[in-house]
């Protein structure tokens, strides 16, 4: 009578009925599948733990509170969808635990066939319970308590190391462009400042897409590169840095640049540039009158192109200022990410001689194949997934500790 419900529960959870394999005592089978992901007070925390049950109950209440709302924001819809699968599995788990408890109360009959049937039912429920526990754990680890943004501003800036830092800034920038393509996101260029050797001093882009902030927020920080530069004659390994800043961008955010608010000045370009230097008024300076922010551009020979680039720079600066005003913590967030761009503040090291990438924030954060990693494809995605799970574990343990103290 119980086994039919087990099969129904298994099919709803997307599992086949677990009758294959050797038979064990049901208590040992259940213990085998108890999932743990961390420790509180020195003891491993499992789905069956009272503290995590309390946390799951809070998720269940949150889900149904969102479900009955007549109007929901896009973020609330996203949160409800993330909660739905976990809540459904948690409710299925309650049924399985209840049925397993009922089986425990049944006394083994002297009939050998009945004894065997009871053992099979206990084993079936235990296997289902184990699978549900693993998938519930997988579900809550993949969730995120932070707000989700479908858009962000990424800044890539050369740090310590001169031209070598600028060259690596270009490689990192290209890696992120490759990752954007890998994830099928959209990118909008705001500002780039290149060098004669093909590097970049600074680049600012907007990236739009599903889970974009959830993925890329871990890339904010100091990236350290160790290698022999192409210009190094003595073969010494140099250490340089590049800083990456990630600033979330709300859905309702945009910068309205009005011509009446702009003071545009032109002048003759200075520096290297051939016959057009000091002969045409191609350099452009724009002042945003309401804020006093000023930008210049003289990278192109055409005044029209320099004006367009200068406007893009101004939009980037205004956007950053507005976001920092809207989020009081954004400046602290950026400062915590980029620090002072010093070599010892690194979050990740790219060692070319050893063909190694090491993320210093997680255990097992070392991988190889630098060429593949810098393409911005699956290898970078795997590293980001490790970072997310590591941070989520810490976050989850803190949430459960707080819930257990209440």
């Amino acid at each position: 009578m119980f086994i039919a419900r087990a099969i129904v529960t298994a099919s709803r959870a997307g599992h086949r009925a677990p009758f294959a394999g050797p038979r064990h005592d049901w208590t040992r089978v259940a213990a085998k599948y108890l999932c743990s992901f961390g420790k509180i007070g020195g003891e491993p925390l499992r789905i069956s733990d009272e503290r995590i049950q309390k946390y799951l109950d809070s998720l269940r209440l949150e889900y149904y509170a969102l479900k009955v709302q007549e109007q929901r924001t896009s973020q609330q819809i996203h949160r409800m969808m993330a909660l739905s699968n976990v809540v459904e599995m948690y409710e299925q788990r309650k049924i399985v635990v209840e049925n397993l408890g009922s089986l425990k109360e049944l006394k083994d009959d002297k009939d050998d066939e009945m004894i065997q049937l009871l053992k099979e039912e206990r084993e079936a429920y235990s296997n289902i319970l184990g699978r549900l526990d693993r998938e519930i754990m997988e579900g809550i680890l993949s969730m995120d308590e932070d707000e989700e943004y479908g858009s962000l501003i990424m800044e890539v800036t050369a740090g310590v190391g001169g031209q070598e830092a600028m060259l690596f800034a270009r490689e990192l920038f290209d890696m992120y462009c490759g990752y954007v393509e890998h994830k099928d996101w959209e990118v909008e260029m705001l500002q780039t400042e290149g060098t004669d050797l093909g590097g970049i001093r600074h680049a600012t882009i907007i990236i739009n897409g599903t889970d974009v902030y959830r993925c890329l927020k871990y890339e904010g920080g100091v990236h350290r590169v160790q290698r022999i530069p192409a210009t190094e004659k003595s073969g010494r390994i140099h250490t340089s840095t590049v800083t990456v800043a990630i600033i979330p961008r709300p859905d309702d955010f945009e910068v309205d640049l009005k011509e009446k608010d702009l003071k545009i000045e032109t002048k003759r370009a200075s520096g290297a540039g051939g016959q057009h230097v000091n002969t045409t008024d191609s350099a452009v300076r724009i002042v945003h009158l309401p804020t006093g922010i000023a930008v210049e551009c003289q990278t192109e020979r055409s005044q029209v192109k320099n004006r367009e680039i200068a406007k893009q720079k101004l939009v980037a600066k205004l956007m950053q200022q507005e976001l920092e005003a809207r989020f009081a913590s954004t400046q602290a967030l950026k400062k915590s990410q980029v620090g002072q761009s010093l070599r010892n503040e690194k979050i990740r090291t790219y060692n070319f001689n050893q063909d190694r990438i090491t993320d210093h924030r997680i255990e097992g954060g070392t991988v190889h194949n630098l060429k593949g990693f810098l393409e911005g494809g699956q290898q970078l995605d795997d590293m980001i997934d490790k970072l997310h799970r590591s941070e989520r574990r810490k976050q989850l343990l803190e949430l459960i500790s707080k819930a257990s103290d209440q």
Side-chain angles (χ1 to χ4, degrees):
M1 56 181 171
F2 297 107
I3 205 71
R5 293 183 69 184
I7 294 171
V8 170
T9 307
S11 63
R12 285 179 180 170
H15 306 305
R16 61 183 177 84
F19 300 119
R23 295 185 176 92
H24 306 283
D25 179 78
W26 77 273
T27 53
R28 286 189 284 116
V29 174
K32 178 182 176 182
Y33 290 111
L34 285 173
C35 298
S36 63
F37 61 88
K39 293 182 178 181
I40 291 183
E43 296 183 2
L45 191 63
R46 296 178 167 87
I47 294 291
S48 57
D49 191 288
E50 183 181 347
R51 290 162 292 188
I52 197 167
Q53 293 275 319
K54 192 172 182 179
Y55 173 69
L56 286 166
D57 283 332
S58 71
L59 294 183
R60 184 174 177 274
L61 290 173
E62 181 186 355
Y63 169 71
Y64 283 110
L66 287 170
K67 194 172 182 179
V68 297
Q69 285 186 10
E70 292 185 2
Q71 294 184 335
R72 292 182 287 267
T73 65
S74 59
Q75 289 188 346
Q76 286 176 327
I77 292 171
H78 188 276
R79 176 67 173 173
M80 191 176 75
M81 290 174 65
L83 288 169
S84 63
N85 194 42
V86 172
V87 170
E88 182 182 352
M89 288 189 294
Y90 181 49
E91 290 177 342
Q92 291 171 2
R93 186 188 189 278
K94 286 178 175 289
I95 295 171
V96 172
V97 170
E98 180 184 342
N99 289 346
L100 200 50
S102 299
L103 281 173
K104 280 180 65 178
E105 295 173 1
L106 291 177
K107 294 183 179 180
D108 288 345
D109 196 281
K110 292 182 180 179
D111 185 276
D112 290 341
E113 187 176 344
M114 182 59 70
I115 292 173
Q116 185 62 35
L117 181 60
L118 287 173
K119 284 181 66 177
E120 288 181 358
E121 290 202 30
R122 289 166 182 165
E123 183 179 348
Y125 276 122
S126 298
N127 279 317
I128 293 168
L129 181 61
R131 289 194 175 102
L132 285 171
D133 279 3
R134 288 197 303 276
E135 294 204 0
I136 291 170
M137 189 64 69
E138 182 79 13
I140 57 179
L141 284 175
S142 65
M143 288 166 56
D144 202 326
E145 301 299 323
D146 295 336
E147 277 195 275
E148 175 55 41
Y149 298 93
S151 181
L152 59 81
I153 296 176
M154 172 183 279
E155 298 177 357
V156 179
T157 307
V160 177
Q163 286 292 340
E164 172 62 11
M166 296 177 198
L167 288 169
F168 189 62
R170 163 63 68 182
E171 291 177 68
L172 273 190
F173 180 75
D174 290 344
M175 177 184 78
Y176 291 123
C177 288
Y179 189 60
V180 166
E181 186 177 346
H182 175 73
K183 301 292 283 186
D184 200 25
W185 293 333
E186 296 178 354
V187 65
E188 178 185 343
M189 188 68 64
L190 284 183
Q191 176 189 2
T192 55
E193 188 177 350
T195 69
D196 294 338
L197 295 179
I200 56 172
R201 291 183 175 86
H202 179 84
T204 305
I205 56 176
I206 295 175
I207 305 175
N208 304 305
T210 304
D211 289 335
V212 62
Y213 182 67
R214 176 179 175 271
C215 292
L216 289 176
K217 64 182 177 181
Y218 302 109
E219 295 303 295
V222 177
H223 296 246
R224 181 177 71 174
V225 58
Q226 296 174 323
R227 65 181 174 187
I228 302 172
T231 55
E232 174 58 53
K233 295 179 180 178
S234 61
R236 291 184 299 114
I237 296 176
H238 287 225
T239 299
S240 308
T241 65
V242 173
T243 61
V244 177
I246 304 295
I247 304 171
R249 185 169 176 255
D251 294 338
D252 60 347
F253 180 79
E254 62 180 51
V255 172
D256 184 16
L257 202 62
K258 299 176 181 177
E259 289 293 329
K260 66 182 181 66
D261 293 334
L262 305 180
K263 179 183 178 182
I264 301 176
E265 302 172 344
T266 59
K267 61 179 182 178
R268 292 186 177 182
S270 60
Q275 62 180 356
H276 289 270
V277 174
N278 294 322
T279 62
T280 60
D281 293 337
S282 59
V284 175
R285 183 175 186 267
I286 301 178
V287 180
H288 187 247
L289 298 175
T291 62
I293 294 175
V295 294
E296 292 186 17
C297 182
Q298 59 176 27
T299 57
E300 302 291 334
R301 293 182 177 183
S302 164
Q303 184 189 115
V304 174
K305 288 183 179 178
N306 282 333
R307 184 188 295 242
E308 186 64 31
I309 293 170
K311 281 187 176 181
Q312 290 176 357
K313 287 184 177 182
L314 181 58
V315 167
K317 286 182 177 290
L318 290 171
M319 191 173 288
Q320 182 176 332
Q321 184 185 70
E322 176 64 24
L323 285 172
E324 288 173 359
R326 186 177 294 201
F327 298 100
S329 62
T330 299
Q331 188 62 34
L333 169 67
K334 184 177 175 183
K335 186 176 180 181
S336 70
Q337 289 176 354
V338 303
Q340 301 298 318
S341 303
L342 301 177
R343 296 177 179 93
N344 61 354
E345 294 177 331
K346 78 280 183 183
I347 61 166
R348 189 180 295 153
T349 295
Y350 305 76
N351 188 301
F352 278 71
N353 282 31
Q354 299 175 9
D355 193 30
R356 167 178 61 83
I357 309 100
T358 298
D359 198 292
H360 303 281
R361 296 166 290 180
I362 52 174
E363 292 184 15
T366 295
V367 295
H368 294 86
N369 185 13
L370 255 167
K371 182 180 178 181
F373 193 90
L374 290 173
E375 289 175 357
Q378 191 59 47
Q379 273 192 277
L380 177 57
D381 206 29
D382 291 342
M383 179 69 80
I384 289 172
D385 186 59
K386 284 183 183 178
L387 285 162
H388 175 74
R389 289 174 180 278
S390 176
E391 290 301 311
R392 177 59 180 158
R393 283 186 180 92
K394 295 175 188 176
Q395 186 183 58
L396 198 52
L397 289 171
E398 290 175 5
L399 286 170
I400 292 167
S401 292
K402 288 178 183 177
S404 62
D405 292 339
Q406 292 176 355

